[in-house]
Amino acid sequence: MEITDIRIRKVEAEGKMKAVVSVTFDNEFVVHDIKIIESQSGMFIAMPSRKTPSGEFRDIAHPINADARNKVQSAILEKYQSMLAEEEAAGALASME
């Protein structure tokens, strides 16, 4: 299964959550509400989850193994970093005008 699209919506509020992501696989299946979180040890993704009656959060959709998780996380974080770089470049151009 290949990642065919990644759509990122930045979160402007202060806090650890930086963006919400939708990932499309094979142009046929999409997973919404993946979160990009910034922690002390760096950025990571959190899969969509639901709060159980006992109060814990359980993933609704998630990769089955570590390799799949790493593939999805790497693709999302690379796209996020390139989006930030593009925004920074656009801001620099706008300030020069």
Side-chain angles (χ1 to χ4, degrees):
M1 200 179 278
E2 293 299 316
I3 296 171
T4 52
D5 190 31
I6 298 174
R7 297 185 186 229
I8 299 175
R9 295 172 306 282
K10 281 181 59 176
V11 174
E12 299 301 329
E14 291 295 317
K16 294 180 180 188
M17 185 168 64
K18 300 302 178 188
V20 179
V21 181
S22 295
V23 177
T24 304
F25 297 91
D26 294 336
N27 289 319
E28 295 178 345
F29 185 81
V30 66
V31 178
H32 297 290
D33 296 331
I34 299 171
K35 295 165 188 68
I36 297 176
I37 309 291
E38 184 174 34
S39 72
Q40 291 178 343
S41 58
M43 300 277 209
F44 68 94
I45 63 167
M47 298 305 289
S49 61
R50 177 178 293 148
K51 192 172 186 178
T52 65
S54 66
E56 74 175 322
F57 285 89
R58 306 264 323 198
D59 287 351
I60 296 169
H62 59 87
I64 297 296
N65 57 49
D67 287 340
R69 177 174 285 277
N70 289 336
K71 182 178 178 182
V72 171
Q73 179 166 284
S74 294
I76 289 171
L77 295 180
E78 284 174 24
K79 176 85 174 200
Y80 179 69
Q81 293 300 331
S82 69
M83 183 185 82
L84 293 179
E86 286 175 20
E87 286 179 354
E88 189 174 307
L93 283 176
S95 67
M96 295 173 78
E97 293 177 356

PDB file of all heavy atoms in Angstrom, residues 3 5-11 17-25 29-37 44-49 59 61-63 69 72-73 76-77:
ATOM      1  N   ILE A   3       1.454   5.501  -0.040  1.00  0.00           N
ATOM      2  CA  ILE A   3       0.877   6.788   0.320  1.00  0.00           C
ATOM      3  C   ILE A   3       0.800   7.618  -0.954  1.00  0.00           C
ATOM      4  O   ILE A   3       1.822   7.849  -1.607  1.00  0.00           O
ATOM      5  CB  ILE A   3       1.727   7.495   1.383  1.00  0.00           C
ATOM      6  CG1 ILE A   3       1.729   6.683   2.679  1.00  0.00           C
ATOM      7  CG2 ILE A   3       1.226   8.915   1.618  1.00  0.00           C
ATOM      8  CD1 ILE A   3       2.712   7.169   3.720  1.00  0.00           C
ATOM      9  N   ASP A   5      -1.261  10.659  -1.089  1.00  0.00           N
ATOM     10  CA  ASP A   5      -1.534  12.063  -0.796  1.00  0.00           C
ATOM     11  C   ASP A   5      -1.426  12.291   0.707  1.00  0.00           C
ATOM     12  O   ASP A   5      -1.817  11.426   1.499  1.00  0.00           O
ATOM     13  CB  ASP A   5      -2.927  12.458  -1.280  1.00  0.00           C
ATOM     14  CG  ASP A   5      -3.174  13.955  -1.214  1.00  0.00           C
ATOM     15  OD1 ASP A   5      -2.202  14.730  -1.369  1.00  0.00           O
ATOM     16  OD2 ASP A   5      -4.334  14.362  -1.014  1.00  0.00           O
ATOM     17  N   ILE A   6      -0.894  13.451   1.061  1.00  0.00           N
ATOM     18  CA  ILE A   6      -0.831  13.881   2.457  1.00  0.00           C
ATOM     19  C   ILE A   6      -1.316  15.319   2.493  1.00  0.00           C
ATOM     20  O   ILE A   6      -0.774  16.175   1.797  1.00  0.00           O
ATOM     21  CB  ILE A   6       0.599  13.795   3.019  1.00  0.00           C
ATOM     22  CG1 ILE A   6       1.113  12.355   3.000  1.00  0.00           C
ATOM     23  CG2 ILE A   6       0.643  14.369   4.436  1.00  0.00           C
ATOM     24  CD1 ILE A   6       2.569  12.206   3.405  1.00  0.00           C
ATOM     25  N   ARG A   7      -2.336  15.581   3.301  1.00  0.00           N
ATOM     26  CA  ARG A   7      -2.866  16.940   3.449  1.00  0.00           C
ATOM     27  C   ARG A   7      -2.698  17.355   4.904  1.00  0.00           C
ATOM     28  O   ARG A   7      -3.140  16.651   5.806  1.00  0.00           O
ATOM     29  CB  ARG A   7      -4.328  17.008   3.046  1.00  0.00           C
ATOM     30  CG  ARG A   7      -4.453  16.666   1.570  1.00  0.00           C
ATOM     31  CD  ARG A   7      -5.835  16.817   1.072  1.00  0.00           C
ATOM     32  NE  ARG A   7      -5.855  16.321  -0.300  1.00  0.00           N
ATOM     33  CZ  ARG A   7      -6.377  16.986  -1.292  1.00  0.00           C
ATOM     34  NH1 ARG A   7      -6.925  18.148  -1.091  1.00  0.00           N
ATOM     35  NH2 ARG A   7      -6.367  16.466  -2.503  1.00  0.00           N
ATOM     36  N   ILE A   8      -2.059  18.506   5.089  1.00  0.00           N
ATOM     37  CA  ILE A   8      -1.722  18.973   6.424  1.00  0.00           C
ATOM     38  C   ILE A   8      -2.428  20.297   6.703  1.00  0.00           C
ATOM     39  O   ILE A   8      -2.379  21.215   5.901  1.00  0.00           O
ATOM     40  CB  ILE A   8      -0.192  19.153   6.566  1.00  0.00           C
ATOM     41  CG1 ILE A   8       0.506  17.812   6.333  1.00  0.00           C
ATOM     42  CG2 ILE A   8       0.153  19.737   7.931  1.00  0.00           C
ATOM     43  CD1 ILE A   8       2.018  17.882   6.327  1.00  0.00           C
ATOM     44  N   ARG A   9      -3.069  20.366   7.870  1.00  0.00           N
ATOM     45  CA  ARG A   9      -3.697  21.601   8.337  1.00  0.00           C
ATOM     46  C   ARG A   9      -2.999  22.004   9.639  1.00  0.00           C
ATOM     47  O   ARG A   9      -3.107  21.314  10.651  1.00  0.00           O
ATOM     48  CB  ARG A   9      -5.198  21.378   8.590  1.00  0.00           C
ATOM     49  CG  ARG A   9      -5.952  21.057   7.311  1.00  0.00           C
ATOM     50  CD  ARG A   9      -7.386  20.635   7.552  1.00  0.00           C
ATOM     51  NE  ARG A   9      -7.594  19.526   8.479  1.00  0.00           N
ATOM     52  CZ  ARG A   9      -7.422  18.237   8.192  1.00  0.00           C
ATOM     53  NH1 ARG A   9      -6.973  17.874   6.999  1.00  0.00           N
ATOM     54  NH2 ARG A   9      -7.661  17.302   9.086  1.00  0.00           N
ATOM     55  N   LYS A  10      -2.268  23.134   9.581  1.00  0.00           N
ATOM     56  CA  LYS A  10      -1.554  23.592  10.764  1.00  0.00           C
ATOM     57  C   LYS A  10      -2.527  24.022  11.847  1.00  0.00           C
ATOM     58  O   LYS A  10      -3.605  24.524  11.553  1.00  0.00           O
ATOM     59  CB  LYS A  10      -0.646  24.773  10.419  1.00  0.00           C
ATOM     60  CG  LYS A  10       0.638  24.355   9.749  1.00  0.00           C
ATOM     61  CD  LYS A  10       1.520  25.518   9.430  1.00  0.00           C
ATOM     62  CE  LYS A  10       1.887  26.305  10.669  1.00  0.00           C
ATOM     63  NZ  LYS A  10       2.826  27.403  10.383  1.00  0.00           N
ATOM     64  N   VAL A  11      -2.119  23.814  13.100  1.00  0.00           N
ATOM     65  CA  VAL A  11      -2.885  24.272  14.247  1.00  0.00           C
ATOM     66  C   VAL A  11      -2.202  25.535  14.742  1.00  0.00           C
ATOM     67  O   VAL A  11      -1.023  25.506  15.097  1.00  0.00           O
ATOM     68  CB  VAL A  11      -2.913  23.188  15.357  1.00  0.00           C
ATOM     69  CG1 VAL A  11      -3.577  23.714  16.609  1.00  0.00           C
ATOM     70  CG2 VAL A  11      -3.604  21.941  14.859  1.00  0.00           C
ATOM     71  N   MET A  17       0.390  20.139  19.990  1.00  0.00           N
ATOM     72  CA  MET A  17      -0.136  19.680  18.707  1.00  0.00           C
ATOM     73  C   MET A  17       0.132  20.760  17.656  1.00  0.00           C
ATOM     74  O   MET A  17      -0.273  21.908  17.813  1.00  0.00           O
ATOM     75  CB  MET A  17      -1.631  19.370  18.776  1.00  0.00           C
ATOM     76  CG  MET A  17      -2.136  18.777  17.473  1.00  0.00           C
ATOM     77  SD  MET A  17      -3.788  18.075  17.539  1.00  0.00           S
ATOM     78  CE  MET A  17      -4.780  19.488  17.884  1.00  0.00           C
ATOM     79  N   LYS A  18       0.841  20.383  16.590  1.00  0.00           N
ATOM     80  CA  LYS A  18       1.255  21.340  15.563  1.00  0.00           C
ATOM     81  C   LYS A  18       0.387  21.309  14.314  1.00  0.00           C
ATOM     82  O   LYS A  18       0.271  22.305  13.616  1.00  0.00           O
ATOM     83  CB  LYS A  18       2.720  21.096  15.177  1.00  0.00           C
ATOM     84  CG  LYS A  18       3.677  21.245  16.354  1.00  0.00           C
ATOM     85  CD  LYS A  18       3.569  22.625  16.954  1.00  0.00           C
ATOM     86  CE  LYS A  18       4.473  22.803  18.157  1.00  0.00           C
ATOM     87  NZ  LYS A  18       4.224  24.063  18.838  1.00  0.00           N
ATOM     88  N   ALA A  19      -0.198  20.137  14.006  1.00  0.00           N
ATOM     89  CA  ALA A  19      -0.997  20.020  12.788  1.00  0.00           C
ATOM     90  C   ALA A  19      -1.880  18.780  12.859  1.00  0.00           C
ATOM     91  O   ALA A  19      -1.630  17.872  13.652  1.00  0.00           O
ATOM     92  CB  ALA A  19      -0.084  19.936  11.567  1.00  0.00           C
ATOM     93  N   VAL A  20      -2.899  18.783  11.987  1.00  0.00           N
ATOM     94  CA  VAL A  20      -3.780  17.629  11.813  1.00  0.00           C
ATOM     95  C   VAL A  20      -3.638  17.204  10.355  1.00  0.00           C
ATOM     96  O   VAL A  20      -3.621  18.039   9.454  1.00  0.00           O
ATOM     97  CB  VAL A  20      -5.238  17.982  12.154  1.00  0.00           C
ATOM     98  CG1 VAL A  20      -6.145  16.792  11.943  1.00  0.00           C
ATOM     99  CG2 VAL A  20      -5.343  18.480  13.588  1.00  0.00           C
ATOM    100  N   VAL A  21      -3.533  15.898  10.136  1.00  0.00           N
ATOM    101  CA  VAL A  21      -3.165  15.369   8.829  1.00  0.00           C
ATOM    102  C   VAL A  21      -4.189  14.346   8.337  1.00  0.00           C
ATOM    103  O   VAL A  21      -4.761  13.594   9.135  1.00  0.00           O
ATOM    104  CB  VAL A  21      -1.774  14.686   8.920  1.00  0.00           C
ATOM    105  CG1 VAL A  21      -1.331  14.147   7.580  1.00  0.00           C
ATOM    106  CG2 VAL A  21      -0.742  15.627   9.509  1.00  0.00           C
ATOM    107  N   SER A  22      -4.384  14.334   7.014  1.00  0.00           N
ATOM    108  CA  SER A  22      -5.138  13.266   6.348  1.00  0.00           C
ATOM    109  C   SER A  22      -4.181  12.594   5.376  1.00  0.00           C
ATOM    110  O   SER A  22      -3.476  13.267   4.624  1.00  0.00           O
ATOM    111  CB  SER A  22      -6.331  13.828   5.574  1.00  0.00           C
ATOM    112  OG  SER A  22      -7.260  14.401   6.461  1.00  0.00           O
ATOM    113  N   VAL A  23      -4.139  11.265   5.406  1.00  0.00           N
ATOM    114  CA  VAL A  23      -3.251  10.499   4.533  1.00  0.00           C
ATOM    115  C   VAL A  23      -4.102   9.584   3.659  1.00  0.00           C
ATOM    116  O   VAL A  23      -4.965   8.859   4.164  1.00  0.00           O
ATOM    117  CB  VAL A  23      -2.244   9.659   5.347  1.00  0.00           C
ATOM    118  CG1 VAL A  23      -1.376   8.821   4.433  1.00  0.00           C
ATOM    119  CG2 VAL A  23      -1.384  10.548   6.225  1.00  0.00           C
ATOM    120  N   THR A  24      -3.839   9.647   2.341  1.00  0.00           N
ATOM    121  CA  THR A  24      -4.542   8.784   1.391  1.00  0.00           C
ATOM    122  C   THR A  24      -3.600   7.675   0.935  1.00  0.00           C
ATOM    123  O   THR A  24      -2.433   7.935   0.642  1.00  0.00           O
ATOM    124  CB  THR A  24      -5.025   9.592   0.174  1.00  0.00           C
ATOM    125  OG1 THR A  24      -5.836  10.661   0.635  1.00  0.00           O
ATOM    126  CG2 THR A  24      -5.821   8.715  -0.794  1.00  0.00           C
ATOM    127  N   PHE A  25      -4.118   6.462   0.891  1.00  0.00           N
ATOM    128  CA  PHE A  25      -3.357   5.290   0.456  1.00  0.00           C
ATOM    129  C   PHE A  25      -3.939   4.786  -0.863  1.00  0.00           C
ATOM    130  O   PHE A  25      -5.157   4.586  -0.969  1.00  0.00           O
ATOM    131  CB  PHE A  25      -3.440   4.173   1.500  1.00  0.00           C
ATOM    132  CG  PHE A  25      -2.829   4.556   2.820  1.00  0.00           C
ATOM    133  CD1 PHE A  25      -3.604   5.145   3.812  1.00  0.00           C
ATOM    134  CD2 PHE A  25      -1.489   4.352   3.068  1.00  0.00           C
ATOM    135  CE1 PHE A  25      -3.047   5.506   5.032  1.00  0.00           C
ATOM    136  CE2 PHE A  25      -0.919   4.711   4.276  1.00  0.00           C
ATOM    137  CZ  PHE A  25      -1.701   5.294   5.261  1.00  0.00           C
ATOM    138  N   PHE A  29      -8.087   4.908  -0.090  1.00  0.00           N
ATOM    139  CA  PHE A  29      -8.425   4.819   1.328  1.00  0.00           C
ATOM    140  C   PHE A  29      -7.772   5.984   2.054  1.00  0.00           C
ATOM    141  O   PHE A  29      -6.581   6.242   1.865  1.00  0.00           O
ATOM    142  CB  PHE A  29      -7.925   3.482   1.896  1.00  0.00           C
ATOM    143  CG  PHE A  29      -8.328   3.236   3.313  1.00  0.00           C
ATOM    144  CD1 PHE A  29      -9.587   2.751   3.608  1.00  0.00           C
ATOM    145  CD2 PHE A  29      -7.455   3.494   4.355  1.00  0.00           C
ATOM    146  CE1 PHE A  29      -9.959   2.519   4.919  1.00  0.00           C
ATOM    147  CE2 PHE A  29      -7.824   3.266   5.668  1.00  0.00           C
ATOM    148  CZ  PHE A  29      -9.081   2.775   5.952  1.00  0.00           C
ATOM    149  N   VAL A  30      -8.538   6.698   2.885  1.00  0.00           N
ATOM    150  CA  VAL A  30      -7.991   7.855   3.600  1.00  0.00           C
ATOM    151  C   VAL A  30      -8.153   7.687   5.101  1.00  0.00           C
ATOM    152  O   VAL A  30      -9.152   7.127   5.564  1.00  0.00           O
ATOM    153  CB  VAL A  30      -8.637   9.178   3.113  1.00  0.00           C
ATOM    154  CG1 VAL A  30     -10.105   9.247   3.453  1.00  0.00           C
ATOM    155  CG2 VAL A  30      -7.902  10.384   3.651  1.00  0.00           C
ATOM    156  N   VAL A  31      -7.163   8.156   5.835  1.00  0.00           N
ATOM    157  CA  VAL A  31      -7.226   8.204   7.296  1.00  0.00           C
ATOM    158  C   VAL A  31      -7.114   9.671   7.688  1.00  0.00           C
ATOM    159  O   VAL A  31      -6.126  10.338   7.363  1.00  0.00           O
ATOM    160  CB  VAL A  31      -6.095   7.385   7.952  1.00  0.00           C
ATOM    161  CG1 VAL A  31      -6.155   7.501   9.467  1.00  0.00           C
ATOM    162  CG2 VAL A  31      -6.165   5.924   7.521  1.00  0.00           C
ATOM    163  N   HIS A  32      -8.134  10.191   8.371  1.00  0.00           N
ATOM    164  CA  HIS A  32      -8.173  11.581   8.822  1.00  0.00           C
ATOM    165  C   HIS A  32      -7.752  11.668  10.290  1.00  0.00           C
ATOM    166  O   HIS A  32      -7.732  10.671  11.013  1.00  0.00           O
ATOM    167  CB  HIS A  32      -9.593  12.149   8.715  1.00  0.00           C
ATOM    168  CG  HIS A  32     -10.131  12.214   7.331  1.00  0.00           C
ATOM    169  ND1 HIS A  32      -9.660  13.078   6.381  1.00  0.00           N
ATOM    170  CD2 HIS A  32     -11.119  11.510   6.729  1.00  0.00           C
ATOM    171  CE1 HIS A  32     -10.325  12.928   5.260  1.00  0.00           C
ATOM    172  NE2 HIS A  32     -11.228  11.962   5.448  1.00  0.00           N
ATOM    173  N   ASP A  33      -7.471  12.871  10.721  1.00  0.00           N
ATOM    174  CA  ASP A  33      -7.225  13.204  12.131  1.00  0.00           C
ATOM    175  C   ASP A  33      -5.970  12.577  12.729  1.00  0.00           C
ATOM    176  O   ASP A  33      -5.934  12.275  13.922  1.00  0.00           O
ATOM    177  CB  ASP A  33      -8.444  12.875  12.997  1.00  0.00           C
ATOM    178  CG  ASP A  33      -9.645  13.724  12.628  1.00  0.00           C
ATOM    179  OD1 ASP A  33      -9.435  14.852  12.158  1.00  0.00           O
ATOM    180  OD2 ASP A  33     -10.782  13.256  12.812  1.00  0.00           O
ATOM    181  N   ILE A  34      -4.940  12.395  11.908  1.00  0.00           N
ATOM    182  CA  ILE A  34      -3.632  12.034  12.441  1.00  0.00           C
ATOM    183  C   ILE A  34      -3.020  13.340  12.940  1.00  0.00           C
ATOM    184  O   ILE A  34      -3.065  14.355  12.252  1.00  0.00           O
ATOM    185  CB  ILE A  34      -2.740  11.384  11.364  1.00  0.00           C
ATOM    186  CG1 ILE A  34      -3.392  10.106  10.838  1.00  0.00           C
ATOM    187  CG2 ILE A  34      -1.344  11.125  11.904  1.00  0.00           C
ATOM    188  CD1 ILE A  34      -2.701   9.517   9.619  1.00  0.00           C
ATOM    189  N   LYS A  35      -2.473  13.333  14.130  1.00  0.00           N
ATOM    190  CA  LYS A  35      -1.941  14.563  14.715  1.00  0.00           C
ATOM    191  C   LYS A  35      -0.415  14.563  14.692  1.00  0.00           C
ATOM    192  O   LYS A  35       0.203  13.531  14.925  1.00  0.00           O
ATOM    193  CB  LYS A  35      -2.440  14.706  16.146  1.00  0.00           C
ATOM    194  CG  LYS A  35      -3.937  14.884  16.228  1.00  0.00           C
ATOM    195  CD  LYS A  35      -4.440  14.653  17.632  1.00  0.00           C
ATOM    196  CE  LYS A  35      -5.940  14.630  17.683  1.00  0.00           C
ATOM    197  NZ  LYS A  35      -6.539  13.492  17.015  1.00  0.00           N
ATOM    198  N   ILE A  36       0.161  15.731  14.414  1.00  0.00           N
ATOM    199  CA  ILE A  36       1.602  15.921  14.559  1.00  0.00           C
ATOM    200  C   ILE A  36       1.815  16.579  15.912  1.00  0.00           C
ATOM    201  O   ILE A  36       1.268  17.653  16.185  1.00  0.00           O
ATOM    202  CB  ILE A  36       2.185  16.802  13.437  1.00  0.00           C
ATOM    203  CG1 ILE A  36       1.994  16.130  12.077  1.00  0.00           C
ATOM    204  CG2 ILE A  36       3.666  17.090  13.711  1.00  0.00           C
ATOM    205  CD1 ILE A  36       2.464  16.970  10.895  1.00  0.00           C
ATOM    206  N   ILE A  37       2.592  15.906  16.754  1.00  0.00           N
ATOM    207  CA  ILE A  37       2.840  16.352  18.120  1.00  0.00           C
ATOM    208  C   ILE A  37       4.318  16.657  18.293  1.00  0.00           C
ATOM    209  O   ILE A  37       5.168  15.903  17.817  1.00  0.00           O
ATOM    210  CB  ILE A  37       2.432  15.254  19.141  1.00  0.00           C
ATOM    211  CG1 ILE A  37       1.007  14.748  18.895  1.00  0.00           C
ATOM    212  CG2 ILE A  37       2.631  15.728  20.570  1.00  0.00           C
ATOM    213  CD1 ILE A  37      -0.089  15.713  19.190  1.00  0.00           C
ATOM    214  N   PHE A  44       6.451  13.614  16.493  1.00  0.00           N
ATOM    215  CA  PHE A  44       5.930  12.282  16.218  1.00  0.00           C
ATOM    216  C   PHE A  44       4.477  12.421  15.813  1.00  0.00           C
ATOM    217  O   PHE A  44       3.895  13.502  15.926  1.00  0.00           O
ATOM    218  CB  PHE A  44       6.094  11.345  17.419  1.00  0.00           C
ATOM    219  CG  PHE A  44       5.240  11.715  18.613  1.00  0.00           C
ATOM    220  CD1 PHE A  44       3.993  11.143  18.792  1.00  0.00           C
ATOM    221  CD2 PHE A  44       5.700  12.625  19.553  1.00  0.00           C
ATOM    222  CE1 PHE A  44       3.213  11.472  19.888  1.00  0.00           C
ATOM    223  CE2 PHE A  44       4.926  12.965  20.645  1.00  0.00           C
ATOM    224  CZ  PHE A  44       3.680  12.395  20.816  1.00  0.00           C
ATOM    225  N   ILE A  45       3.896  11.336  15.299  1.00  0.00           N
ATOM    226  CA  ILE A  45       2.481  11.357  14.938  1.00  0.00           C
ATOM    227  C   ILE A  45       1.678  10.563  15.956  1.00  0.00           C
ATOM    228  O   ILE A  45       2.176   9.619  16.569  1.00  0.00           O
ATOM    229  CB  ILE A  45       2.231  10.812  13.514  1.00  0.00           C
ATOM    230  CG1 ILE A  45       2.633   9.341  13.400  1.00  0.00           C
ATOM    231  CG2 ILE A  45       2.919  11.674  12.475  1.00  0.00           C
ATOM    232  CD1 ILE A  45       2.133   8.666  12.128  1.00  0.00           C
ATOM    233  N   ALA A  46       0.434  10.985  16.120  1.00  0.00           N
ATOM    234  CA  ALA A  46      -0.526  10.253  16.952  1.00  0.00           C
ATOM    235  C   ALA A  46      -1.700   9.901  16.054  1.00  0.00           C
ATOM    236  O   ALA A  46      -2.269  10.768  15.386  1.00  0.00           O
ATOM    237  CB  ALA A  46      -0.985  11.108  18.124  1.00  0.00           C
ATOM    238  N   MET A  47      -2.021   8.636  16.010  1.00  0.00           N
ATOM    239  CA  MET A  47      -3.105   8.165  15.156  1.00  0.00           C
ATOM    240  C   MET A  47      -4.452   8.592  15.740  1.00  0.00           C
ATOM    241  O   MET A  47      -4.551   8.907  16.932  1.00  0.00           O
ATOM    242  CB  MET A  47      -3.033   6.643  15.027  1.00  0.00           C
ATOM    243  CG  MET A  47      -1.757   6.139  14.376  1.00  0.00           C
ATOM    244  SD  MET A  47      -1.413   6.856  12.748  1.00  0.00           S
ATOM    245  CE  MET A  47      -2.677   6.067  11.771  1.00  0.00           C
ATOM    246  N   PRO A  48      -5.509   8.634  14.899  1.00  0.00           N
ATOM    247  CA  PRO A  48      -6.823   9.026  15.413  1.00  0.00           C
ATOM    248  C   PRO A  48      -7.266   8.072  16.520  1.00  0.00           C
ATOM    249  O   PRO A  48      -7.036   6.867  16.433  1.00  0.00           O
ATOM    250  CB  PRO A  48      -7.741   8.927  14.192  1.00  0.00           C
ATOM    251  CG  PRO A  48      -6.992   8.163  13.170  1.00  0.00           C
ATOM    252  CD  PRO A  48      -5.543   8.258  13.503  1.00  0.00           C
ATOM    253  N   SER A  49      -7.865   8.640  17.563  1.00  0.00           N
ATOM    254  CA  SER A  49      -8.249   7.811  18.702  1.00  0.00           C
ATOM    255  C   SER A  49      -9.600   8.245  19.250  1.00  0.00           C
ATOM    256  O   SER A  49     -10.120   9.302  18.906  1.00  0.00           O
ATOM    257  CB  SER A  49      -7.179   7.893  19.801  1.00  0.00           C
ATOM    258  OG  SER A  49      -7.048   9.226  20.246  1.00  0.00           O
ATOM    259  N   ASP A  59      -6.561   3.873  19.797  1.00  0.00           N
ATOM    260  CA  ASP A  59      -6.478   4.208  18.376  1.00  0.00           C
ATOM    261  C   ASP A  59      -7.643   3.604  17.613  1.00  0.00           C
ATOM    262  O   ASP A  59      -8.020   2.454  17.843  1.00  0.00           O
ATOM    263  CB  ASP A  59      -5.171   3.688  17.777  1.00  0.00           C
ATOM    264  CG  ASP A  59      -3.965   4.488  18.203  1.00  0.00           C
ATOM    265  OD1 ASP A  59      -4.141   5.560  18.827  1.00  0.00           O
ATOM    266  OD2 ASP A  59      -2.835   4.049  17.913  1.00  0.00           O
ATOM    267  N   ALA A  61      -7.634   3.806  14.058  1.00  0.00           N
ATOM    268  CA  ALA A  61      -6.919   3.239  12.909  1.00  0.00           C
ATOM    269  C   ALA A  61      -5.435   3.389  13.198  1.00  0.00           C
ATOM    270  O   ALA A  61      -5.012   4.407  13.739  1.00  0.00           O
ATOM    271  CB  ALA A  61      -7.286   3.986  11.628  1.00  0.00           C
ATOM    272  N   HIS A  62      -4.663   2.365  12.856  1.00  0.00           N
ATOM    273  CA  HIS A  62      -3.231   2.439  13.131  1.00  0.00           C
ATOM    274  C   HIS A  62      -2.473   1.406  12.307  1.00  0.00           C
ATOM    275  O   HIS A  62      -3.040   0.394  11.900  1.00  0.00           O
ATOM    276  CB  HIS A  62      -2.950   2.228  14.619  1.00  0.00           C
ATOM    277  CG  HIS A  62      -3.449   0.915  15.133  1.00  0.00           C
ATOM    278  ND1 HIS A  62      -2.707  -0.236  15.071  1.00  0.00           N
ATOM    279  CD2 HIS A  62      -4.626   0.568  15.699  1.00  0.00           C
ATOM    280  CE1 HIS A  62      -3.403  -1.227  15.588  1.00  0.00           C
ATOM    281  NE2 HIS A  62      -4.575  -0.771  15.973  1.00  0.00           N
ATOM    282  N   PRO A  63      -1.179   1.673  12.060  1.00  0.00           N
ATOM    283  CA  PRO A  63      -0.340   0.678  11.377  1.00  0.00           C
ATOM    284  C   PRO A  63      -0.210  -0.575  12.241  1.00  0.00           C
ATOM    285  O   PRO A  63      -0.215  -0.498  13.464  1.00  0.00           O
ATOM    286  CB  PRO A  63       1.009   1.380  11.230  1.00  0.00           C
ATOM    287  CG  PRO A  63       0.710   2.836  11.395  1.00  0.00           C
ATOM    288  CD  PRO A  63      -0.454   2.912  12.324  1.00  0.00           C
ATOM    289  N   ARG A  69       4.431   1.951  10.620  1.00  0.00           N
ATOM    290  CA  ARG A  69       4.316   3.199  11.378  1.00  0.00           C
ATOM    291  C   ARG A  69       5.442   4.151  10.994  1.00  0.00           C
ATOM    292  O   ARG A  69       5.216   5.347  10.765  1.00  0.00           O
ATOM    293  CB  ARG A  69       4.335   2.956  12.883  1.00  0.00           C
ATOM    294  CG  ARG A  69       4.299   4.281  13.683  1.00  0.00           C
ATOM    295  CD  ARG A  69       4.180   4.058  15.166  1.00  0.00           C
ATOM    296  NE  ARG A  69       2.855   3.670  15.556  1.00  0.00           N
ATOM    297  CZ  ARG A  69       1.848   4.527  15.777  1.00  0.00           C
ATOM    298  NH1 ARG A  69       2.033   5.816  15.604  1.00  0.00           N
ATOM    299  NH2 ARG A  69       0.669   4.096  16.143  1.00  0.00           N
ATOM    300  N   VAL A  72       4.791   5.728   7.519  1.00  0.00           N
ATOM    301  CA  VAL A  72       3.761   6.758   7.558  1.00  0.00           C
ATOM    302  C   VAL A  72       4.293   8.001   8.277  1.00  0.00           C
ATOM    303  O   VAL A  72       4.153   9.129   7.793  1.00  0.00           O
ATOM    304  CB  VAL A  72       2.467   6.228   8.230  1.00  0.00           C
ATOM    305  CG1 VAL A  72       1.470   7.345   8.472  1.00  0.00           C
ATOM    306  CG2 VAL A  72       1.848   5.122   7.399  1.00  0.00           C
ATOM    307  N   GLN A  73       4.929   7.798   9.421  1.00  0.00           N
ATOM    308  CA  GLN A  73       5.443   8.931  10.194  1.00  0.00           C
ATOM    309  C   GLN A  73       6.501   9.705   9.410  1.00  0.00           C
ATOM    310  O   GLN A  73       6.470  10.936   9.371  1.00  0.00           O
ATOM    311  CB  GLN A  73       6.020   8.447  11.528  1.00  0.00           C
ATOM    312  CG  GLN A  73       6.583   9.577  12.374  1.00  0.00           C
ATOM    313  CD  GLN A  73       6.835   9.163  13.791  1.00  0.00           C
ATOM    314  OE1 GLN A  73       5.889   9.050  14.556  1.00  0.00           O
ATOM    315  NE2 GLN A  73       8.085   8.952  14.145  1.00  0.00           N
ATOM    316  N   ILE A  76       4.835  11.794   6.612  1.00  0.00           N
ATOM    317  CA  ILE A  76       4.096  12.935   7.159  1.00  0.00           C
ATOM    318  C   ILE A  76       5.059  14.016   7.635  1.00  0.00           C
ATOM    319  O   ILE A  76       4.897  15.200   7.314  1.00  0.00           O
ATOM    320  CB  ILE A  76       3.166  12.482   8.310  1.00  0.00           C
ATOM    321  CG1 ILE A  76       1.997  11.668   7.748  1.00  0.00           C
ATOM    322  CG2 ILE A  76       2.660  13.688   9.101  1.00  0.00           C
ATOM    323  CD1 ILE A  76       1.145  11.005   8.809  1.00  0.00           C
ATOM    324  N   LEU A  77       6.075  13.637   8.406  1.00  0.00           N
ATOM    325  CA  LEU A  77       6.990  14.640   8.953  1.00  0.00           C
ATOM    326  C   LEU A  77       7.828  15.303   7.866  1.00  0.00           C
ATOM    327  O   LEU A  77       8.116  16.507   7.948  1.00  0.00           O
ATOM    328  CB  LEU A  77       7.865  14.029  10.043  1.00  0.00           C
ATOM    329  CG  LEU A  77       7.106  13.572  11.295  1.00  0.00           C
ATOM    330  CD1 LEU A  77       8.064  12.975  12.321  1.00  0.00           C
ATOM    331  CD2 LEU A  77       6.289  14.705  11.906  1.00  0.00           C
TER     332      LEU A  77
END
